[in-house]
């Protein structure tokens, strides 16, 4: 599975997509969150990824579908990532498993002072970690949780990215963690969409 990384000297970790109707996406998704979930009241969940009725969300957020038509990237699934106030240590160091790697993420709520950090972990080092099965894809991946709090001292950081208003496309196979800064507000809510095909071409450095 490691081959999926490709030659990372030729790719960047994430790519900002144009802001087109981000305000509408945020307001429609927030209305759905308020009406259909308890995310705004949740102060204890540590799982980050929330199981949702994504078809219902898609119906309630036509701006999201309009956006994906605008950038011409059809998606097959939507999920929501929630960082609650018990997660001040962040969302664990991890990586995706092949099959569902490229994601397009949208900032929704309280995204300031929360950073996604991607790290360069050489293939040889990655292979030393225990393998686990990703519960969402049923594919194998490495368990990087043992270096969650030390990765910044062990490996070079590629990018530390704060979502503001831009959607981003990124390769989730690259090891990353989500870390709140001291001024982060909770819950921090982000929407992740999974394209039908990996939009590799957008990731090439010009
Ligand atoms: Fe991730």
């Amino acid at each position: 599975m490691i081959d999926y990384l490709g030659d990372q000297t030729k790719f960047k970790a994430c790519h900002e997509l144009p802001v087109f109707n981000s305000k509408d996406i945020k307001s429609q998704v927030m209305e759905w969150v308020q009406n259909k979930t308890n995310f705004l009241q949740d102060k204890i969940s540590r799982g980050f990824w929330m199981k949702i009725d994504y078809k219902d969300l898609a119906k309630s957020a036509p701006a999201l579908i309009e956006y994906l038509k605008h950038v011409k990237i059809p998606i097959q699934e939507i999920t929501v990532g929630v960082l609650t106030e018990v997660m001040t240590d962040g969302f664990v160091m991890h990586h995706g498993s092949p099959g569902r790697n490229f994601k397009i993420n949208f900032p929704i709520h309280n995204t300031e002072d929360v950073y996604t950090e991607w790290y360069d972990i050489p293939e040889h080092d990655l292979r030393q970690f225990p393998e686990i099965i990703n519960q969402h894809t049923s594919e194998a991946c490495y368990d990087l949780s043992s270096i969650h709090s030390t990765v910044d001292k062990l490996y070079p950081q590629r990018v530390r990215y704060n979502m503001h208003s831009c959607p981003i496309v990124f390769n989730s196979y690259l090891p990353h963690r989500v870390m709140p800064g001291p001024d982060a507000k909770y819950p921090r809510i982000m929407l992740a969409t999974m394209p039908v095909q990996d939009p590799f071409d957008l990731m090439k450095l010009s």
Side-chain angles (χ1 to χ4, degrees), residues 172-199:
S172 158
Y173 190 71
L174 303 175
H176 56 283
R177 63 179 185 174
V178 180
M179 301 299 283
D183 297 323
K185 293 187 175 68
Y186 303 91
R188 178 259 202 184
I189 300 177
M190 171 276 288
L191 194 85
T193 64
M194 288 58 152
V196 176
Q197 288 180 308
D198 283 355

Short mmCIF file of all heavy atoms in Angstrom, two decimals, residues 172-199:
data_model
loop_
_atom_site.label_atom_id
_atom_site.label_comp_id
_atom_site.label_asym_id
_atom_site.label_seq_id
_atom_site.Cartn_x
_atom_site.Cartn_y
_atom_site.Cartn_z
N SER A 172 -5.25 12.13 1.69
CA SER A 172 -5.36 11.71 3.08
C SER A 172 -4.41 10.56 3.44
O SER A 172 -4.24 10.23 4.60
CB SER A 172 -6.82 11.33 3.34
OG SER A 172 -6.96 10.49 4.41
N TYR A 173 -3.77 9.97 2.42
CA TYR A 173 -2.82 8.89 2.71
C TYR A 173 -1.57 9.45 3.40
O TYR A 173 -0.89 8.74 4.13
CB TYR A 173 -2.42 8.15 1.43
CG TYR A 173 -1.63 6.90 1.73
CD1 TYR A 173 -2.25 5.79 2.30
CD2 TYR A 173 -0.26 6.84 1.50
CE1 TYR A 173 -1.53 4.65 2.61
CE2 TYR A 173 0.47 5.70 1.81
CZ TYR A 173 -0.17 4.62 2.37
OH TYR A 173 0.55 3.49 2.69
N LEU A 174 -1.27 10.73 3.16
CA LEU A 174 -0.12 11.33 3.83
C LEU A 174 -0.43 11.49 5.31
O LEU A 174 -1.49 11.99 5.68
CB LEU A 174 0.18 12.71 3.22
CG LEU A 174 0.44 12.72 1.72
CD1 LEU A 174 0.60 14.16 1.24
CD2 LEU A 174 1.68 11.91 1.39
N PRO A 175 0.50 11.07 6.20
CA PRO A 175 0.23 11.13 7.63
C PRO A 175 -0.06 12.55 8.10
O PRO A 175 0.64 13.50 7.72
CB PRO A 175 1.53 10.61 8.24
CG PRO A 175 2.13 9.74 7.19
CD PRO A 175 1.79 10.43 5.89
N HIS A 176 -1.10 12.68 8.91
CA HIS A 176 -1.47 14.02 9.40
C HIS A 176 -2.19 13.93 10.73
O HIS A 176 -2.67 12.87 11.13
CB HIS A 176 -2.33 14.76 8.36
CG HIS A 176 -3.56 14.02 7.94
ND1 HIS A 176 -3.53 12.96 7.06
CD2 HIS A 176 -4.86 14.16 8.29
CE1 HIS A 176 -4.76 12.51 6.88
NE2 HIS A 176 -5.60 13.21 7.63
N ARG A 177 -2.27 15.06 11.40
CA ARG A 177 -3.03 15.19 12.65
C ARG A 177 -3.72 16.54 12.63
O ARG A 177 -3.34 17.43 11.86
CB ARG A 177 -2.12 15.05 13.88
CG ARG A 177 -1.07 16.14 13.99
CD ARG A 177 -0.19 15.98 15.25
NE ARG A 177 0.72 17.13 15.35
CZ ARG A 177 1.53 17.36 16.37
NH1 ARG A 177 1.57 16.54 17.39
NH2 ARG A 177 2.30 18.43 16.38
N VAL A 178 -4.74 16.70 13.47
CA VAL A 178 -5.48 17.97 13.55
C VAL A 178 -5.25 18.53 14.95
O VAL A 178 -5.57 17.88 15.95
CB VAL A 178 -6.98 17.77 13.30
CG1 VAL A 178 -7.73 19.09 13.37
CG2 VAL A 178 -7.21 17.11 11.94
N MET A 179 -4.65 19.72 15.02
CA MET A 179 -4.25 20.28 16.31
C MET A 179 -4.87 21.66 16.55
O MET A 179 -4.68 22.58 15.75
CB MET A 179 -2.72 20.42 16.34
CG MET A 179 -1.96 19.12 16.14
SD MET A 179 -2.31 17.88 17.40
CE MET A 179 -1.34 18.51 18.76
N PRO A 180 -5.61 21.81 17.65
CA PRO A 180 -6.15 23.13 17.97
C PRO A 180 -5.08 24.01 18.62
O PRO A 180 -4.24 23.52 19.37
CB PRO A 180 -7.26 22.81 18.98
CG PRO A 180 -6.91 21.49 19.57
CD PRO A 180 -6.02 20.77 18.59
N GLY A 181 -5.12 25.31 18.32
CA GLY A 181 -4.26 26.27 18.99
C GLY A 181 -4.95 26.77 20.25
O GLY A 181 -6.09 26.36 20.56
N PRO A 182 -4.30 27.68 20.99
CA PRO A 182 -4.86 28.15 22.28
C PRO A 182 -6.16 28.93 22.12
O PRO A 182 -6.94 29.02 23.07
CB PRO A 182 -3.75 29.05 22.85
CG PRO A 182 -2.84 29.35 21.70
CD PRO A 182 -2.96 28.23 20.73
N ASP A 183 -6.39 29.52 20.95
CA ASP A 183 -7.61 30.31 20.76
C ASP A 183 -8.71 29.55 20.01
O ASP A 183 -9.70 30.16 19.57
CB ASP A 183 -7.28 31.60 20.00
CG ASP A 183 -6.34 32.49 20.80
OD1 ASP A 183 -6.49 32.53 22.04
OD2 ASP A 183 -5.44 33.11 20.19
N ALA A 184 -8.54 28.25 19.86
CA ALA A 184 -9.56 27.46 19.14
C ALA A 184 -10.88 27.49 19.90
O ALA A 184 -10.90 27.55 21.13
CB ALA A 184 -9.07 26.02 18.99
N LYS A 185 -11.97 27.46 19.13
CA LYS A 185 -13.31 27.38 19.73
C LYS A 185 -13.93 26.03 19.35
O LYS A 185 -13.62 25.48 18.30
CB LYS A 185 -14.18 28.52 19.21
CG LYS A 185 -13.72 29.88 19.68
CD LYS A 185 -14.74 30.95 19.26
CE LYS A 185 -14.38 32.32 19.81
NZ LYS A 185 -13.14 32.85 19.19
N TYR A 186 -14.80 25.55 20.22
CA TYR A 186 -15.38 24.22 20.03
C TYR A 186 -16.91 24.29 20.02
O TYR A 186 -17.46 25.17 20.68
CB TYR A 186 -14.92 23.29 21.16
CG TYR A 186 -13.41 23.19 21.25
CD1 TYR A 186 -12.70 24.06 22.08
CD2 TYR A 186 -12.72 22.25 20.50
CE1 TYR A 186 -11.31 23.98 22.16
CE2 TYR A 186 -11.34 22.16 20.58
CZ TYR A 186 -10.64 23.03 21.42
OH TYR A 186 -9.27 22.94 21.49
N PRO A 187 -17.57 23.38 19.34
CA PRO A 187 -16.98 22.37 18.47
C PRO A 187 -16.51 22.98 17.16
O PRO A 187 -17.15 23.88 16.62
CB PRO A 187 -18.16 21.42 18.22
CG PRO A 187 -19.37 22.31 18.29
CD PRO A 187 -19.06 23.34 19.32
N ARG A 188 -15.40 22.47 16.68
CA ARG A 188 -14.92 22.88 15.35
C ARG A 188 -15.47 21.84 14.37
O ARG A 188 -15.30 20.64 14.53
CB ARG A 188 -13.40 22.90 15.35
CG ARG A 188 -12.78 23.27 14.00
CD ARG A 188 -12.30 22.04 13.28
NE ARG A 188 -11.28 22.33 12.28
CZ ARG A 188 -10.76 21.42 11.47
NH1 ARG A 188 -11.15 20.15 11.56
NH2 ARG A 188 -9.86 21.73 10.59
N ILE A 189 -16.18 22.36 13.35
CA ILE A 189 -16.88 21.45 12.43
C ILE A 189 -16.36 21.62 11.01
O ILE A 189 -16.23 22.74 10.50
CB ILE A 189 -18.41 21.70 12.49
CG1 ILE A 189 -18.92 21.46 13.91
CG2 ILE A 189 -19.14 20.79 11.49
CD1 ILE A 189 -20.39 21.74 14.12
N MET A 190 -16.08 20.50 10.39
CA MET A 190 -15.56 20.47 9.02
C MET A 190 -16.33 19.39 8.26
O MET A 190 -16.75 18.39 8.84
CB MET A 190 -14.07 20.14 9.13
CG MET A 190 -13.35 19.83 7.87
SD MET A 190 -13.54 18.13 7.39
CE MET A 190 -12.53 17.28 8.58
N LEU A 191 -16.53 19.64 6.99
CA LEU A 191 -17.25 18.68 6.14
C LEU A 191 -16.24 18.05 5.18
O LEU A 191 -15.46 18.76 4.55
CB LEU A 191 -18.29 19.45 5.35
CG LEU A 191 -19.37 18.65 4.66
CD1 LEU A 191 -20.48 18.39 5.66
CD2 LEU A 191 -19.92 19.44 3.50
N ALA A 192 -16.24 16.72 5.10
CA ALA A 192 -15.34 16.03 4.17
C ALA A 192 -16.17 15.34 3.09
O ALA A 192 -17.17 14.68 3.40
CB ALA A 192 -14.50 15.01 4.92
N THR A 193 -15.75 15.49 1.85
CA THR A 193 -16.43 14.80 0.75
C THR A 193 -15.42 13.91 0.03
O THR A 193 -14.25 14.25 -0.07
CB THR A 193 -17.05 15.79 -0.26
OG1 THR A 193 -16.00 16.54 -0.89
CG2 THR A 193 -18.01 16.75 0.42
N MET A 194 -15.90 12.75 -0.42
CA MET A 194 -15.03 11.80 -1.09
C MET A 194 -15.36 11.77 -2.58
O MET A 194 -16.43 11.29 -2.96
CB MET A 194 -15.22 10.39 -0.51
CG MET A 194 -14.65 10.20 0.87
SD MET A 194 -15.32 11.32 2.09
CE MET A 194 -15.16 10.35 3.55
N PRO A 195 -14.42 12.26 -3.41
CA PRO A 195 -14.67 12.22 -4.85
C PRO A 195 -14.79 10.78 -5.37
O PRO A 195 -14.23 9.86 -4.78
CB PRO A 195 -13.42 12.89 -5.44
CG PRO A 195 -12.88 13.72 -4.33
CD PRO A 195 -13.19 12.96 -3.07
N VAL A 196 -15.50 10.63 -6.47
CA VAL A 196 -15.65 9.32 -7.10
C VAL A 196 -14.29 8.83 -7.60
O VAL A 196 -13.94 7.67 -7.46
CB VAL A 196 -16.65 9.40 -8.28
CG1 VAL A 196 -16.74 8.07 -9.00
CG2 VAL A 196 -18.03 9.81 -7.75
N GLN A 197 -13.50 9.75 -8.16
CA GLN A 197 -12.15 9.41 -8.61
C GLN A 197 -11.15 10.32 -7.92
O GLN A 197 -11.47 11.47 -7.61
CB GLN A 197 -12.02 9.63 -10.12
CG GLN A 197 -12.75 8.59 -10.94
CD GLN A 197 -12.58 8.84 -12.41
OE1 GLN A 197 -12.83 9.96 -12.88
NE2 GLN A 197 -12.16 7.84 -13.15
N ASP A 198 -9.93 9.83 -7.69
CA ASP A 198 -8.91 10.66 -7.08
C ASP A 198 -8.53 11.83 -8.03
O ASP A 198 -8.08 11.58 -9.14
CB ASP A 198 -7.64 9.84 -6.79
CG ASP A 198 -7.80 8.98 -5.56
OD1 ASP A 198 -8.84 9.10 -4.88
OD2 ASP A 198 -6.89 8.20 -5.26
N PRO A 199 -8.71 13.04 -7.60
CA PRO A 199 -8.38 14.19 -8.48
C PRO A 199 -6.88 14.51 -8.43
O PRO A 199 -6.47 15.60 -8.07
CB PRO A 199 -9.23 15.31 -7.90
CG PRO A 199 -9.42 14.95 -6.48
CD PRO A 199 -9.35 13.46 -6.36
#
